[in-house]
Amino acid sequence: MAGSPFTSSTRDVPEVSGIPRHIAIIMDGNGRWARKRFMPRVAGHGRGVESVRCVIRACMERGVSHLTLFAFSSENWRRPADEVSFLMQLFMRSLQKEVDRLHENGIRFRVIGDLSRFDPALVDMIRRAEVRTAANEKLTLTIAANYGGRWDILQAVTRMLERNPDRRSGFTEEELSAELSLNYGPEPDLFIRTGGEQRVSNFLLWQLAYSELYFTDTLWPDFDENALDLAIRSYQARERRFGRTSEQLSDTESVATPRPTDRATGDHA
Ligand code: IPE
Ligand code: IPE
Ligand code: MG
């Protein structure tokens, strides 16, 4: 029955503490980092790659199993052409340089986003790296490139309709989640945005429904493992209720999913 008040694909039993399984980061502030040093904006992007390396290593050491990094948004095409082209080159060079090391370290590499506007050589390199690292299990590293949360939801809906042309009954949240480009991992437990802005900028709109949000003024090139630990500590101090009351969380019985007979009845369609 569509529309039951208990129909929700958001996480059921809250995990109260511990290391987040999935961290998603908007790596912002590269341009300002460079400008503060009287350098061109792109120097900040170059330095930002160091932070990416550092955060990958730190996540592995801490037992985070999924790390998703926003590298280029669907809106970033609006930037000056030379900055866009620098970012593409940097992506290609970094991937070329790092793929062996990613593989040796047991990292599964994935890219999400609309790659149709990318240089075919870059797309080919991405696809080969994905295949090569597909069986690795230590950390799943996802780079969001030409990614937009609205694009993702729309492509998922389009695919659902293509697969089910005769469906009349509507779709479930699980069916839609399964078509999203990040369908191979859990939803982010912790969302981090560096650089001081407090917005989501069309990142993982669907999957951030119940993520803990953490904003820091630290610019991405200055973000290191200590900064990551501050974010994780903030996450660990949160109480994830997923709709329940605080009292229910200390009572394991009431945290369990309501039995079908407990559910409200009535047609909410
Ligand atoms: C984030 O840093 C990197 C990308 C969007 C690719 P910015 O380039 O947005 O840096 P600021 O926000 O201008 O400082
Ligand atoms: C968001 O950063 C996208 C990435 C980090 C890739 P922006 O700097 O482009 O975001 P807005 O436009 O300021 O929100
Ligand atoms: Mg920015």
Side-chain angles (χ1 to χ4, degrees):
M1 179 181 56
S4 156
F6 292 99
T7 303
S8 170
S9 62
T10 54
R11 181 92 65 80
D12 190 31
V13 178
E15 274 164 37
V16 181
S17 60
I19 292 291
R21 271 198 301 173
H22 183 176
I23 299 180
I25 308 182
I26 297 188
M27 311 181 288
D28 196 18
N30 293 349
R32 279 164 285 161
W33 182 92
R35 282 292 179 223
K36 266 173 51 181
R37 287 161 181 78
F38 307 101
M39 297 195 287
R41 290 178 49 81
V42 295
H45 299 318
R47 183 58 188 74
V49 177
E50 299 294 321
S51 298
V52 170
R53 276 198 207 100
C54 169
V55 166
I56 293 172
R57 194 180 326 113
C59 280
M60 292 181 76
E61 287 167 2
R62 282 152 188 75
V64 173
S65 61
H66 289 74
L67 174 66
T68 301
L69 303 174
F70 204 4
F72 191 87
S73 74
S74 40
E75 288 73 20
N76 286 146
W77 295 106
R78 295 175 181 148
R79 294 194 175 197
D82 54 352
E83 181 168 340
V84 170
S85 137
F86 181 93
L87 283 166
M88 293 298 153
Q89 292 297 322
L90 184 64
F91 190 16
M92 193 130 139
R93 274 204 315 272
S94 305
L95 185 54
Q96 221 159 14
K97 215 169 114 192
E98 303 291 339
V99 69
D100 287 345
R101 202 157 5 157
L102 293 176
H103 190 46
E104 282 158 19
N105 282 294
I107 296 172
R108 173 163 72 142
F109 174 79
R110 297 291 291 258
V111 173
I112 56 169
D114 179 6
L115 299 188
S116 62
R117 277 183 75 177
F118 282 18
D119 178 346
L122 177 55
V123 178
D124 186 53
M125 195 184 289
I126 289 169
R127 295 302 177 219
R128 276 190 286 127
E130 287 180 329
V131 170
R132 184 166 167 216
T133 62
N136 294 339
E137 289 181 344
K138 191 110 202 291
L139 173 80
T140 298
L141 169 68
T142 301
I143 303 293
N146 193 20
Y147 179 86
R150 290 188 178 180
W151 164 84
D152 200 2
I153 293 170
L154 207 56
Q155 67 81 29
V157 170
T158 307
R159 280 214 271 190
M160 280 195 307
L161 291 171
E162 280 168 3
R163 280 193 223 276
N164 305 278
D166 302 322
R167 180 84 72 90
R168 288 284 169 272
S169 59
F171 294 97
T172 64
E173 293 185 7
E174 284 77 9
E175 283 177 296
L176 191 134
S177 300
E179 297 293 354
L180 292 169
S181 44
L182 202 57
N183 60 2
Y184 49 86
E187 292 176 5
D189 301 294
L190 172 61
F191 160 96
I192 299 173
R193 180 170 188 147
T194 64
E197 311 295 354
Q198 302 198 354
R199 54 179 173 250
V200 172
S201 297
N202 200 14
F203 196 23
L204 305 162
L205 297 180
W206 176 273
Q207 297 91 337
L208 292 177
Y210 255 114
S211 306
E212 296 299 328
L213 308 181
Y214 179 85
F215 299 97
T216 171
D217 289 336
T218 303
L219 302 172
W220 178 249
D222 292 326
F223 195 85
D224 58 12
E225 56 185 78
N226 295 325
L228 180 72
D229 284 334
L230 282 178
I232 293 177
R233 234 171 287 147
S234 165
Y235 167 82
Q236 289 170 336
R238 315 271 178 102
E239 184 177 69
R240 305 191 76 192
R241 291 190 288 274
F242 294 93
R244 294 175 177 78
T245 67
S246 194
E247 291 72 23
Q248 283 177 294
L249 299 180
S250 42
D251 172 4
T252 44
E253 285 269 296
S254 59
V255 166
T257 311
R259 291 182 310 257
T261 48
D262 298 335
R263 295 186 178 194
T265 50
D267 196 352
H268 300 266

